[in-house]
Coordinates of all heavy atoms in Angstrom, one line a residue:
N1 N 0.8 -1.2 0.0 CA 0.0 0.0 0.0 C 0.8 1.3 0.0 O 0.3 2.3 0.3 CB -0.9 0.0 1.2 CG -2.0 -1.0 1.2 OD1 -2.5 -1.3 0.1 ND2 -2.3 -1.6 2.3
D2 N 2.0 1.2 -0.4 CA 3.0 2.4 -0.3 C 2.2 3.7 -0.7 O 2.2 4.1 -1.9 CB 4.1 2.1 -1.3 CG 5.2 3.1 -1.1 OD1 5.0 4.2 -0.6 OD2 6.4 2.8 -1.5
Y3 N 1.6 4.4 0.3 CA 0.8 5.5 0.0 C 1.5 6.7 -0.6 O 1.0 7.3 -1.5 CB 0.1 6.0 1.3 CG -0.8 4.9 1.9 CD1 -0.3 4.3 3.1 CD2 -1.9 4.5 1.3 CE1 -1.1 3.3 3.7 CE2 -2.7 3.5 1.9 CZ -2.3 2.9 3.1 OH -3.0 1.9 3.6
E4 N 2.8 6.9 -0.2 CA 3.5 8.0 -0.8 C 3.8 7.8 -2.2 O 3.8 8.8 -3.0 CB 4.9 8.1 0.0 CG 4.7 8.6 1.4 CD 4.0 10.0 1.5 OE1 4.4 10.8 0.7 OE2 3.2 10.1 2.4
K5 N 3.9 6.5 -2.6 CA 4.3 6.2 -4.0 C 3.0 6.1 -4.9 O 3.0 6.6 -6.0 CB 5.0 4.9 -4.1 CG 5.5 4.5 -5.5 CD 6.3 3.2 -5.4 CE 6.8 2.7 -6.8 NZ 7.6 1.5 -6.7
Y6 N 2.0 5.5 -4.4 CA 0.8 5.2 -5.2 C -0.3 6.2 -5.2 O -1.2 6.2 -6.1 CB 0.3 3.8 -4.8 CG 1.3 2.7 -5.0 CD1 1.4 1.7 -4.0 CD2 2.1 2.6 -6.1 CE1 2.3 0.7 -4.1 CE2 3.0 1.6 -6.2 CZ 3.1 0.7 -5.3 OH 4.1 -0.3 -5.4
V7 N -0.4 7.0 -4.1 CA -1.4 8.1 -4.1 C -0.8 9.4 -4.7 O 0.1 9.9 -4.1 CB -1.9 8.3 -2.6 CG1 -3.0 9.4 -2.6 CG2 -2.5 7.0 -2.1
Q8 N -1.4 9.8 -5.8 CA -0.9 10.9 -6.5 C -2.0 11.9 -6.8 O -3.1 11.5 -7.0 CB -0.2 10.5 -7.8 CG 1.0 9.5 -7.6 CD 1.5 9.0 -8.9 OE1 1.4 9.7 -10.0 NE2 2.2 7.9 -8.9
V9 N -1.7 13.2 -6.9 CA -2.6 14.3 -7.1 C -2.4 14.8 -8.5 O -1.3 15.1 -8.9 CB -2.5 15.4 -6.0 CG1 -3.4 16.5 -6.3 CG2 -2.7 14.8 -4.6
F10 N -3.5 15.0 -9.2 CA -3.4 15.6 -10.6 C -4.3 16.8 -10.7 O -5.5 16.7 -10.2 CB -3.9 14.6 -11.6 CG -2.9 13.4 -11.8 CD1 -2.9 12.3 -10.9 CD2 -2.1 13.4 -12.9 CE1 -2.1 11.3 -11.1 CE2 -1.2 12.3 -13.1 CZ -1.2 11.3 -12.2
E11 N -3.8 17.9 -11.2 CA -4.6 19.1 -11.5 C -5.1 18.9 -12.9 O -4.3 18.8 -13.9 CB -3.8 20.4 -11.3 CG -3.4 20.7 -9.9 CD -4.6 21.1 -9.1 OE1 -5.7 21.5 -9.7 OE2 -4.6 21.0 -7.8
L12 N -6.4 18.8 -13.1 CA -7.0 18.6 -14.5 C -7.0 19.9 -15.3 O -7.3 21.0 -14.7 CB -8.4 18.1 -14.4 CG -8.6 16.7 -13.6 CD1 -10.1 16.3 -13.7 CD2 -7.7 15.7 -14.2
D13 N -6.6 19.8 -16.5 CA -6.7 20.9 -17.5 C -8.2 21.2 -17.8 O -9.0 20.2 -17.8 CB -6.0 20.6 -18.8 CG -4.5 20.5 -18.5 OD1 -4.0 21.2 -17.7 OD2 -3.9 19.7 -19.3
P14 N -8.6 22.4 -18.0 CA -10.0 22.7 -18.4 C -10.4 22.1 -19.7 O -9.5 22.1 -20.6 CB -10.1 24.2 -18.4 CG -8.7 24.7 -18.6 CD -7.8 23.7 -18.0
P15 N -11.6 21.5 -19.9 CA -12.0 21.0 -21.2 C -12.0 22.1 -22.2 O -12.1 23.3 -21.9 CB -13.4 20.4 -20.9 CG -13.4 20.2 -19.4 CD -12.6 21.3 -18.8
G16 N -12.1 21.7 -23.5 CA -12.1 22.6 -24.6 C -13.3 23.5 -24.5 O -14.4 23.1 -24.1
G17 N -13.1 24.8 -24.8 CA -14.1 25.8 -24.7 C -14.2 26.5 -23.3 O -15.0 27.5 -23.2
F18 N -13.3 26.2 -22.4 CA -13.3 26.8 -21.1 C -11.9 27.3 -20.8 O -10.9 26.6 -21.0 CB -13.7 25.8 -20.0 CG -15.2 25.4 -20.1 CD1 -15.6 24.4 -20.8 CD2 -16.1 26.2 -19.4 CE1 -16.9 24.0 -20.9 CE2 -17.5 25.8 -19.5 CZ -17.9 24.8 -20.3
S19 N -11.8 28.5 -20.2 CA -10.5 29.1 -20.0 C -9.9 28.5 -18.7 O -8.6 28.6 -18.5 CB -10.6 30.6 -19.9 OG -11.5 31.0 -18.9
D20 N -10.7 28.1 -17.8 CA -10.2 27.6 -16.5 C -11.2 26.6 -15.9 O -12.3 26.5 -16.3 CB -9.9 28.7 -15.5 CG -11.1 29.6 -15.3 OD1 -12.2 29.1 -15.0 OD2 -10.9 30.9 -15.5
M21 N -10.7 25.8 -14.9 CA -11.6 24.8 -14.3 C -12.7 25.4 -13.5 O -13.7 24.8 -13.3 CB -10.7 23.8 -13.5 CG -9.9 22.8 -14.3 SD -11.0 21.8 -15.3 CE -11.8 20.8 -14.1
E22 N -12.4 26.6 -13.0 CA -13.5 27.3 -12.1 C -14.7 27.5 -13.0 O -15.8 27.2 -12.5 CB -12.9 28.6 -11.5 CG -13.9 29.2 -10.6 CD -13.4 30.5 -10.0 OE1 -12.2 30.9 -10.3 OE2 -14.1 31.1 -9.2
S23 N -14.6 28.0 -14.2 CA -15.7 28.3 -15.0 C -16.4 27.0 -15.4 O -17.6 26.9 -15.5 CB -15.4 29.2 -16.2 OG -14.4 28.5 -17.0
F24 N -15.6 26.0 -15.8 CA -16.1 24.7 -16.1 C -16.9 24.1 -15.0 O -18.0 23.6 -15.1 CB -15.0 23.7 -16.6 CG -15.6 22.3 -16.8 CD1 -16.3 22.0 -17.9 CD2 -15.3 21.3 -15.8 CE1 -16.8 20.7 -18.1 CE2 -15.8 20.1 -16.0 CZ -16.6 19.7 -17.1
N25 N -16.3 24.1 -13.8 CA -17.0 23.5 -12.6 C -18.3 24.3 -12.3 O -19.3 23.6 -11.9 CB -16.1 23.6 -11.4 CG -15.0 22.6 -11.4 OD1 -15.2 21.5 -12.1 ND2 -13.9 22.8 -10.8
H26 N -18.4 25.6 -12.6 CA -19.6 26.3 -12.3 C -20.7 25.8 -13.3 O -21.8 25.5 -12.8 CB -19.4 27.8 -12.6 CG -20.6 28.6 -12.4 ND1 -21.1 29.0 -11.2 CD2 -21.4 29.2 -13.3 CE1 -22.2 29.7 -11.3 NE2 -22.4 29.9 -12.6
E27 N -20.4 25.5 -14.5 CA -21.4 25.0 -15.5 C -21.7 23.6 -15.2 O -22.9 23.2 -15.2 CB -20.8 25.1 -16.9 CG -21.8 24.6 -18.0 CD -21.4 25.0 -19.4 OE1 -21.0 26.2 -19.6 OE2 -21.5 24.1 -20.3

């Protein structure tokens, strides 16, 4: 279960047509 190795965080890029994730998440 090596948590430091196997648990990773990813910041998703906004989908096409959106300038940032905040506006996409609002929709």
Side-chain angles (χ1 to χ4, degrees):
N1 291 325
D2 191 338
Y3 300 108
E4 292 299 321
K5 182 177 180 180
Y6 299 137
V7 178
Q8 301 175 24
V9 177
F10 290 80
E11 291 290 338
L12 299 183
D13 294 327
F18 292 88
S19 60
D20 53 52
M21 284 301 292
E22 184 179 1
S23 57
F24 171 74
N25 284 335
H26 179 76
E27 182 168 317

